[in-house]
Amino acid sequence: MDNNRADAKETTSYDDPDAPWNKEFSEEEMAGWNDGVITEFRENEGRVGGDYAGATLLLLTTTGAKSGKPHVVPLGALYRGDVMYVSSFMEDKYPAWYHNAKADPRVTIELGGEEFAAKADVLTGERYDEFAAWALAENSLLAEYQAKVDKPLPLVVLTRTEPE
């Protein structure tokens, strides 16, 4: 499914002042940020408006490494050929979804109007190095961000599985 829209403004630089991650939001706005995106995603078969209009998003459900509870987060669906992967910008620590995927790779993906079971393969070592070299060469936003942080960006390959 292609969620790209002709009227969507493409963000071509990490430093773009109109990029959602460069806008200022109150703590109250940030606290419910994902909730609104998740609701809109589910109500519109994976399409959202606002800052993410035209983006191909997925909802990744992981199991909380500490809580054991489902944790849903919207992420950009990225592809290397037929291989789907996710990453994200981070502050001083890796995001919860990344820690959860490391602890339990069984995840659920919602993409468009479809929901399916998948395995999250957190890349490390030589696999990470090779994949990261490709991803940073192909995705200028990830490359710009990686140049600004000391930690390697999280890279997780998602592979569809049969439901248990």
Side-chain angles (χ1 to χ4, degrees):
M1 180 170 122
D2 183 7
N3 288 340
N4 293 326
R5 294 180 12 187
D7 61 338
K9 180 184 177 290
E10 183 178 349
T11 301
T12 58
S13 168
Y14 174 78
D15 294 323
D16 181 341
D18 293 327
W21 51 84
N22 288 325
K23 294 182 180 181
E24 290 193 30
F25 298 96
S26 70
E27 283 187 41
E28 290 174 5
E29 290 172 314
M30 288 307 297
W33 180 267
N34 283 346
D35 295 341
V37 174
I38 291 166
T39 299
E40 185 177 3
F41 181 102
R42 288 178 170 158
E43 289 176 350
N44 296 293
E45 295 187 332
R47 291 181 300 278
V48 297
D51 290 324
Y52 298 105
T56 302
L57 294 182
L58 62 80
L59 298 183
L60 179 68
T61 302
T62 59
T63 300
K66 293 180 183 176
S67 70
K69 296 179 180 178
H71 176 79
V72 181
V73 63
L75 294 167
L78 303 169
Y79 295 91
R80 182 181 189 181
D82 291 338
V83 175
M84 182 189 313
Y85 71 100
V86 290
S87 185
S88 68
F89 304 139
M90 64 211 176
E91 296 300 321
D92 57 340
K93 59 184 179 178
Y94 287 106
W97 68 263
Y98 179 74
H99 291 292
N100 294 344
K102 284 175 69 173
D104 184 350
R106 295 170 298 178
V107 299
T108 302
I109 296 172
E110 295 173 61
L111 183 62
E114 185 180 13
E115 181 177 329
F116 54 91
K119 178 184 178 228
D121 186 10
V122 175
L123 300 182
T124 59
E126 289 180 16
R127 283 192 66 214
Y128 178 91
D129 294 342
E130 186 278 326
F131 203 99
W134 175 87
L136 296 176
E138 294 295 316
N139 187 318
S140 62
L141 295 177
L142 288 179
E144 280 185 62
Y145 189 76
Q146 182 64 85
K148 296 175 184 299
V149 297
D150 294 328
K151 292 182 180 183
L153 289 172
L155 288 173
V156 178
V157 169
L158 302 171
T159 306
R160 187 181 200 125
T161 61
E162 294 300 317
E164 294 182 358

